[in-house]
Amino acid sequence: MDLKLTADHQRFRMEVRAFLQEHLPEDLRQAARRQFHIAPEMMRRWQRILNAKGWAAPGWPVEAGGTGWSAIQRYIYDEEYCLADGPLPLQMGHGVQIIGPVLYTYGTAEQKARYLPRILRGEDFWAQGFSEPGAGSDLASLRTRAVRDGDDWVITGHKIWTSLAHHANMLFLLARTDPDVKPQKGISFFVFPIDTPGVIVRPIISIDRGHSLNETFFDEVRVPADSLIGEEGQGWSYAKFLLGHERFNIAEIARTKRRLQRLWQIAGDMPCGEGTLAQDQSFCDKITALEIELASLEQLGLRVAWEMDEGISNMQSASILKLRGTRLIQSVTELSVEAMGYAGLAFHPAQDGSQLSPPAPESAQGKMEEMLFLRAATIYGGSSETQLNILANLIYAEV
């Protein structure tokens, strides 16, 4: 296994960097630097720019409308995108990164033709309906029901933490279609418009004072039979496939590298004694320790990318990436707020939806908001405790 980048990889990096320098809108860069939650209309504009270039879906195969890039190329693209201050892709909803791979892998030809082009063009904004009040990390215990009634399915239940559902026009969810079999075997996967009669979306205001989360109720929601993706009762398998993609992305290795760059900027702007915080040895030691942790995680990320290109599936690595990556995200964002000192306390929503800390330097804007929201990073996509259980079971199975 050779993790060194080739000359072709370096040329590809230069191509990506040049494209982002020319086409990533400056107002979007500024918004991504100053706030965590980005307006959907800005993200749709960016999606259209990417689609015109043919880069709307970096992880998709060519036949589905994607780039056909290797995992290493996607790794390079993510790094350049984050270093250019591109916004979080999930601010565009769960279309490209999450539901897209499920649709082109398990959907019918008609479903692919109906949904995939609209995702690429930024015309559909997708929300995810997985977690429930009593079924978060233990997703197999979900209670939302889907009952077949002629040519329709009737869905009844309650989902929570439905990210960006108030902006979405489409929803994918898991529902129990057979209560009499093993929990994992009785779950099916559905997609349908979120404005279908009987769907009620209520806001959840998170600790960062932002509105990105919701709870969603389904009161005998009637959807057509072709809302079912794949085979009935196979939703659990599709969810595991989906979460494998999600956990690789949730590690956010490239974005954490950019966060560390921003942390050095904050430290250089914050006064400390007769100099700046960046000249304080004890604080520099804290940043350096995080940089060492990131360097280790980068090597694991490159290894996983190489394995993906070789067709090797490694559940252990996916869980380790999610576990260590989200812990590192929290450590870096916590240290960024520590660097702000008292300036971080003046935290309030601005009229444009951003979260500002006026006494803090420009380099620190949005950092308190980011830190608060990302307290959830070790929970969503499978909690740290769940990842440890997965790893323990995998290791036990090998003994």
Side-chain angles (χ1 to χ4, degrees):
M1 179 171 57
D2 186 359
L3 298 182
K4 294 181 181 179
L5 298 182
T6 66
D8 285 342
H9 290 143
Q10 297 298 347
R11 282 190 288 271
F12 176 72
R13 182 185 294 279
M14 293 301 102
E15 180 187 2
V16 172
R17 185 176 298 175
F19 171 77
L20 292 171
Q21 287 175 346
E22 182 176 355
H23 294 285
L24 181 59
E26 184 58 30
D27 62 337
L28 192 53
R29 291 179 196 259
Q30 291 296 333
R33 292 183 188 124
R34 295 173 61 85
Q35 61 200 73
F36 189 73
H37 303 294
I38 308 296
E41 56 270 20
M42 297 182 74
M43 293 302 299
R44 287 191 177 95
R45 174 160 53 98
W46 175 231
Q47 185 70 12
R48 289 192 293 270
I49 293 172
L50 288 173
N51 192 46
K53 174 67 173 175
W55 288 4
W60 293 14
V62 173
E63 57 270 23
T67 60
W69 288 342
S70 68
I72 293 291
Q73 285 178 301
R74 298 199 302 272
Y75 190 96
I76 293 169
Y77 174 82
D78 287 344
E79 186 170 65
E80 290 299 320
Y81 179 75
C82 292
L83 293 177
D85 288 323
L88 278 167
L90 284 180
Q91 299 283 5
M92 186 54 216
H94 297 282
V96 171
Q97 289 194 335
I98 298 183
I99 183 59
V102 174
L103 289 170
Y104 67 65
T105 304
Y106 300 108
T108 64
E110 193 278 332
Q111 287 168 337
K112 295 175 187 179
R114 185 192 311 172
Y115 298 122
L116 295 181
R118 292 182 59 84
I119 292 174
L120 294 171
R121 296 192 295 264
E123 294 172 3
D124 284 338
F125 199 108
W126 288 80
Q128 173 179 294
F130 277 17
S131 295
E132 298 182 4
S137 296
D138 182 20
L139 192 56
S141 63
L142 64 85
R143 295 183 178 181
T144 295
R145 289 289 311 278
V147 178
R148 187 65 181 260
D149 182 19
D151 292 333
D152 296 332
W153 288 93
V154 180
I155 299 174
T156 304
H158 178 193
K159 299 291 183 177
I160 200 165
W161 315 126
T162 320
S163 299
L164 303 173
H166 55 302
H167 294 312
N169 66 307
M170 294 296 298
L171 176 75
F172 61 94
L173 64 73
L174 295 177
R176 189 166 302 286
T177 49
D178 188 345
D180 299 322
V181 297
K182 183 180 177 181
Q184 290 87 344
K185 296 293 185 182
I187 296 172
S188 298
F189 199 109
F190 296 90
V191 301
F192 53 89
I194 204 167
D195 63 357
T196 301
V199 179
I200 301 171
V201 177
R202 293 178 181 170
I204 297 174
I205 305 304
S206 49
I207 192 173
D208 62 310
R209 303 180 188 176
H211 177 201
S212 64
L213 305 172
N214 304 273
E215 57 179 340
T216 313
F217 299 87
F218 305 89
D219 183 10
E220 297 188 353
V221 176
R222 186 172 291 272
V223 300
D226 64 358
S227 297
L228 176 71
I229 300 298
E231 299 178 25
E232 181 180 344
Q234 292 300 309
W236 181 253
S237 298
Y238 306 154
K240 288 195 297 182
F241 168 83
L242 177 155
L243 290 171
H245 280 260
E246 186 179 20
R247 284 168 187 160
F248 183 80
N249 295 322
I250 285 175
E252 293 189 9
I253 296 171
R255 194 162 297 275
T256 296
K257 179 179 286 190
R258 179 56 178 148
R259 289 184 180 114
L260 278 167
Q261 290 182 346
R262 290 281 302 274
L263 177 51
W264 278 115
Q265 292 173 352
I266 295 169
D269 291 337
M270 292 301 296
C272 179
E274 296 181 356
T276 68
L277 197 56
Q279 297 168 314
D280 180 85
Q281 188 59 54
S282 63
F283 194 82
C284 289
D285 288 346
K286 293 180 180 180
I287 302 180
T288 301
L290 296 179
E291 289 180 325
I292 293 170
E293 176 70 16
L294 176 63
S296 172
L297 196 63
E298 278 189 286
Q299 289 303 303
L300 177 59
L302 282 169
R303 173 182 169 177
V304 170
W306 180 88
E307 289 176 339
M308 291 171 66
D309 284 339
E310 295 297 314
I312 301 171
S313 177
N314 192 330
M315 289 295 294
Q316 281 186 332
S317 295
S319 287
I320 293 170
L321 274 174
K322 203 282 178 181
L323 182 67
R324 291 181 55 194
T326 52
R327 286 177 175 175
L328 184 58
I329 287 169
Q330 291 181 343
S331 296
V332 173
T333 54
E334 287 168 6
L335 193 58
S336 297
V337 170
E338 180 182 331
M340 294 164 63
Y342 290 120
L345 296 177
F347 166 71
H348 65 86
Q351 289 185 349
D352 64 357
S354 62
Q355 307 281 353
L356 306 179
S357 300
E362 177 65 26
S363 58
Q365 300 305 321
K367 286 299 166 183
M368 177 63 82
E369 173 193 21
E370 183 179 51
M371 186 278 289
L372 291 172
F373 184 85
L374 290 173
R375 301 311 302 160
T378 48
I379 300 174
Y380 56 63
S383 69
S384 292
E385 291 78 10
T386 297
Q387 303 313 312
L388 290 170
N389 283 338
I390 291 172
L391 290 169
N393 288 331
L394 289 170
I395 293 170
Y396 179 78
E398 294 175 356
V399 174

